[in-house]
Amino acid sequence: AQPVPENSHSVDNDGGLYSVHAIGLPALVALPFAVGGTLLAKLFLIAVSSVAVWLNWRASDRYNGSRRDRAVAVAVVMTGMGFVTAATQVYPDVTIGVLALFAITVILRYETAAAAPAAGSDTPACTPSTWLRRPWIATSVVALLPLLHIKTAATAAVLIFTIAALDWRRRRSPRRAVAMMAPLVVVAVLVAAYNAWAFGRIGGPYEGGNLSVGRMPLTVLFGLYTDQFHGMFVQNPALLAALVALPMFVRRFPVTGVAVIVTHISFVLPNAMHVNWYGGFSFAGRFGVAGALVLTPVAVFGLAHLLANRRTVWPWVLVGALIAFQGIQFVRYTLLERSLYNNLLVLPDVYP
């Protein structure tokens, strides 16, 4: 069919069609798609998603437990439904979650720099020179968030300011502080300029009415956690460890803990308020996956702490049950071809 605004989520401006979606994801997959089509683009996004596994592993050396305990915790949390199923989808949500997780990992490394290893950990102490020599590189990566969706601009600003504040506390260098904040300013100017050119206003194509307040957003918010199809805790029960361990995590890593909470809320709450409930014709759990990725360090922390207890086998029984559950889910959505997309007859796509 010939692309028109009605069938392409786009705006007609001076004879050209401009997508109402952000330009970051198309730019990210442009080269893989040009070389290998949809298959290579999806393989590239799987590679991007897998970075979350590495980030959680790097963060875990600040937690209790041996390498084996932490490796099992990372594997159980990160191979759950929601992350595996979302990895192949050409949507920005997983990449947004990975970038936010990267920022949280950097914040954690700042907070624990030069600290002694955690109790029971067999990992050497982290030194500042390992991760924090060039923090403006980290903030440059986090500054890409608004290119994936403009709603993440405030989240990016909070995360970058937190990293800059932690660095200022260590170095007291105005030059470093400016260098760390500059990438977000540059991206903000670029996004504003593109929106003004394509849509006639710096805020982009979005108008009032995309977000709603009332009983339904509250229902969707609850559903993003517990719905039998979209709920992150139903898809991946290992994330429940984050709820249990969050107070202990915040007590031990207060700055990182607050960053996790604020980032998670900033991702989940606007999606719950969006009039396109649960993402319209999107994959199951799309509107919760970025927020779920932000919770993974806390879930890994809780499971690793639990597995460090050598006095009982019950933690390993729990891990076995979680693995069995995900195995059953995997069979259902692969071999039994269970649909992982919304039914438009029940949940219409009203975007935008």
Side-chain angles (χ1 to χ4, degrees), residues 210-233:
N210 284 334
L211 300 181
S212 62
V213 178
R215 185 178 64 180
M216 191 60 201
L218 186 61
T219 302
V220 174
L221 178 63
F222 186 70
L224 290 176
Y225 297 102
T226 61
D227 182 78
Q228 61 181 349
F229 191 60
H230 292 278
M232 64 181 75
F233 294 146

Side-chain angles (χ1 to χ4, degrees), residues 120-151:
S121 173
D122 51 13
T123 303
C126 168
T127 60
S129 60
T130 304
W131 279 60
L132 313 180
R133 289 174 298 185
R134 299 177 179 87
W136 50 88
I137 297 178
T139 57
S140 297
V141 173
V142 180
L144 298 176
L145 277 169
L147 290 173
L148 293 165
H149 203 297
I150 196 170
K151 69 183 178 184

Side-chain angles (χ1 to χ4, degrees), residues 139-140 142-144 146 153 156-158 160 180-189:
T139 57
S140 297
V142 180
L144 298 176
V158 170
I160 290 174
M180 294 170 73
M181 299 297 294
L184 182 61
V185 176
V186 172
V187 169
V189 171

